[in-house]
Amino acid sequence: AQKITQTQPGMFVQEKEAVTLDCTYDTSDPSYGLFWYKQPSSGEMIFLIYQGSYDQQNATEGRYSLNFQKARKSANLVISASQLGDSAMYFCAMREFSNTGNQFYFGTGTSLTVIP
Amino acid sequence: DAGVTQSPTHLIKTRGQQVTLRCSPKSGHDTVSWYQQALGQGPQFIFQYYEEEERQRGNFPDRFSGHQFPNYSSELNVNALLLGDSALYLCASSVQGGHGYTFGSGTRLTVV
């Protein structure tokens, strides 16, 4: 089974609008972390936001927030007030801290295009 | 403060050849991980090096090997290149046990 599933290959959003990128995960490890990365055409993976499995509140970092629904095993990224510079690939990732804590499991990504 | 530096940025090799990719970690980081990102896919974990030893390995054949030097920099070696090895190879550095990983911009390898 896939550890991370991103079902939206591509998304479009109007500038200044909010957009939600979906991510579901699969793990039996009670201690894990969920991450979102942005990858522009330059290739670098840019860290956006982190949510730990034991965190009670949803993580927020500026315009980014993570909608963490543990029972549904979902960790959707919400970008508010989209900007043209937000156009990029977005990857959801997970690390399982009890077992294979050293590696990230990445989804297949979502390509976000912000329309002026 | 320099981030993660990878070299070369682009590389073209012929099937059957060998290739070495290099990574200098972010200042203060002691652990280096390597990932392979095929076109249209998410990165896949190859292995991680800490204290000059391979600490964890993903599902990659022995043709993929690595090394970490005393200054924490690292090399990824791939032998007997296949067309399917064409990908973006990403290096990520971190402090052992920490959550913060910094990725480089990658080396784009094309095997012809």
Side-chain angles (χ1 to χ4, degrees):
Chain A
Q2 292 289 330
K3 293 277 189 183
I4 296 288
T5 302
Q6 295 180 255
T7 58
Q8 304 158 313
M11 290 283 286
F12 293 86
V13 64
Q14 205 74 34
E15 192 178 7
K16 301 181 184 178
E17 296 293 314
V19 64
T20 298
L21 305 184
D22 295 341
C23 172
T24 57
Y25 61 92
D26 182 31
T27 183
S28 58
D29 190 335
S31 179
Y32 55 91
L34 297 160
F35 302 76
W36 277 92
Y37 283 87
K38 173 184 179 181
Q39 187 177 42
S41 57
S42 61
E44 182 182 1
M45 299 289 277
I46 301 168
F47 168 75
L48 297 177
I49 197 167
Y50 165 80
Q51 179 86 41
S53 59
Y54 295 119
D55 293 342
Q56 296 297 314
Q57 293 189 328
N58 287 341
T60 60
E61 290 284 350
R63 295 187 298 112
Y64 305 107
S65 60
L66 199 152
N67 184 1
F68 181 45
Q69 298 189 45
K70 197 169 183 177
R72 296 185 177 185
K73 293 189 173 180
S74 73
N76 299 339
L77 175 70
V78 180
I79 305 174
S80 63
S82 296
Q83 303 171 356
L84 296 178
D86 293 336
S87 294
M89 284 293 294
Y90 288 81
F91 289 93
C92 179
M94 176 176 68
R95 286 174 58 202
E96 297 170 318
F97 297 133
S98 297
N99 296 317
T100 57
N102 291 332
Q103 68 171 304
F104 283 100
Y105 298 95
F106 284 91
T108 52
T110 295
S111 176
L112 178 65
T113 302
V114 180
I115 303 167
Chain B
D1 181 23
V4 176
T5 303
Q6 292 189 243
S7 63
T9 55
H10 295 81
L11 200 55
I12 299 175
K13 288 287 189 178
T14 302
R15 190 172 47 182
Q17 284 188 314
Q18 178 263 347
V19 69
T20 297
L21 311 182
R22 295 175 176 82
C23 173
S24 293
K26 180 179 178 179
S27 178
H29 286 185
D30 57 9
T31 302
V32 173
S33 305
W34 287 93
Y35 287 80
Q36 180 196 65
Q37 186 178 14
L39 194 63
Q41 300 296 316
Q44 298 288 319
F45 176 74
I46 302 174
F47 43 52
Q48 183 182 84
Y49 275 83
Y50 170 63
E51 292 186 329
E52 302 180 48
E53 291 187 8
E54 184 184 294
R55 297 292 175 168
Q56 190 173 341
R57 188 181 184 91
N59 188 25
F60 278 80
D62 292 344
R63 297 188 297 109
F64 290 77
S65 63
H67 189 78
Q68 186 180 33
F69 299 93
N71 67 352
Y72 308 120
S73 67
S74 177
E75 289 181 349
L76 164 66
N77 301 294
V78 187
N79 294 323
L81 285 166
L82 304 174
L83 297 179
D85 294 332
S86 295
L88 178 69
Y89 288 84
L90 293 166
C91 171
S93 73
S94 60
V95 174
Q96 182 62 224
H99 288 345
Y101 281 66
T102 301
F103 283 82
S105 295
T107 293
R108 187 163 297 281
L109 172 66
T110 302
V111 182
V112 298

